[in-house]
Amino acid sequence: MNTPAHIACGACLALALATVSRGTQQERPRVALLAAGSVVLGILSHLLLDLLPHYAWIVHLDWFKPAPFHWLLREAVFGVAVAVPALLLSGRAWPYAALGIFGAVYPDVEKVLSLDFHWPQALVFFGWHSNFVSNRTAGLPPPLLIAFECLLIGVCLLAMWRIKKLW
């Protein structure tokens, strides 16, 4: 999956957790538990989404081609385009959504650090994910996989809009 799908899913799950866990008191342990839960849900969503058939279409665009790490710039542009509405849809729960986004993108940050910047392997938590570049297309055509990913992003943002009404 590309960064925008991970961002949308991580933010959506974190908002859902914050909404379900909402109480009348703002106790420090509860806030810390929600924060940790948001990060963990983001990481889990990333790892599970990467098991689905997907195509890394953003890295194949020609934008920013002469710049070093041009593919990272493209991922960042598309990521911000999804993160901003996701954070806006989160309302007062935006800190949890931001932590969900952090968790959801962390495995790919680790992958970039491992593969491109040769981070020490002792610091790689998800070696089975971070030490390999993979496309899991399952033999499906790229346009279908791109459409599925865009649909997933839309569903996550729509779910966030619906969840916000419960807040």
Side-chain angles (χ1 to χ4, degrees):
M1 290 286 164
N2 290 283
T3 301
H6 291 305
I7 287 172
C9 193
C12 183
L13 291 173
L15 179 60
L17 177 67
T19 301
V20 167
S21 303
R22 205 173 56 149
T24 57
Q25 300 178 23
Q26 283 291 85
E27 301 172 10
R28 184 173 294 269
R30 181 175 129 346
V31 169
L33 191 59
L34 276 173
S38 296
V39 172
V40 168
L41 280 176
I43 291 171
L44 289 175
S45 72
H46 182 110
L47 298 175
L48 290 173
L49 283 175
D50 273 2
L51 294 176
L52 295 174
H54 62 278
Y55 176 69
W57 59 275
I58 292 176
V59 299
H60 297 294
L61 297 174
D62 285 335
W63 304 0
F64 311 114
K65 204 66 165 200
F69 300 107
H70 51 86
W71 57 274
L72 278 176
L73 292 173
R74 290 190 294 274
E75 287 281 357
V77 167
F78 280 91
V80 167
V82 172
V84 168
L87 291 171
L88 290 173
L89 286 169
S90 300
R92 291 179 302 181
W94 73 266
Y96 300 116
L99 288 169
I101 290 170
F102 169 77
V105 299
Y106 175 77
D108 279 346
V109 169
E110 185 181 86
K111 181 181 283 195
V112 169
L113 291 172
S114 177
L115 294 176
D116 294 326
F117 296 102
H118 311 293
W119 220 22
Q121 286 302 301
L123 299 175
V124 175
F125 296 115
F126 306 106
W128 59 271
H129 171 274
S130 301
N131 292 330
F132 305 97
V133 175
S134 66
N135 272 329
R136 298 183 195 281
T137 64
L140 298 170
L144 179 65
L145 295 171
I146 294 168
F148 171 73
E149 186 172 346
C150 291
L151 178 65
L152 176 66
I153 293 167
V155 166
C156 287
L157 293 177
L158 178 62
M160 291 180 74
W161 177 70
R162 300 283 293 180
I163 293 169
K164 184 180 176 182
K165 290 183 172 190
L166 300 174
W167 188 267

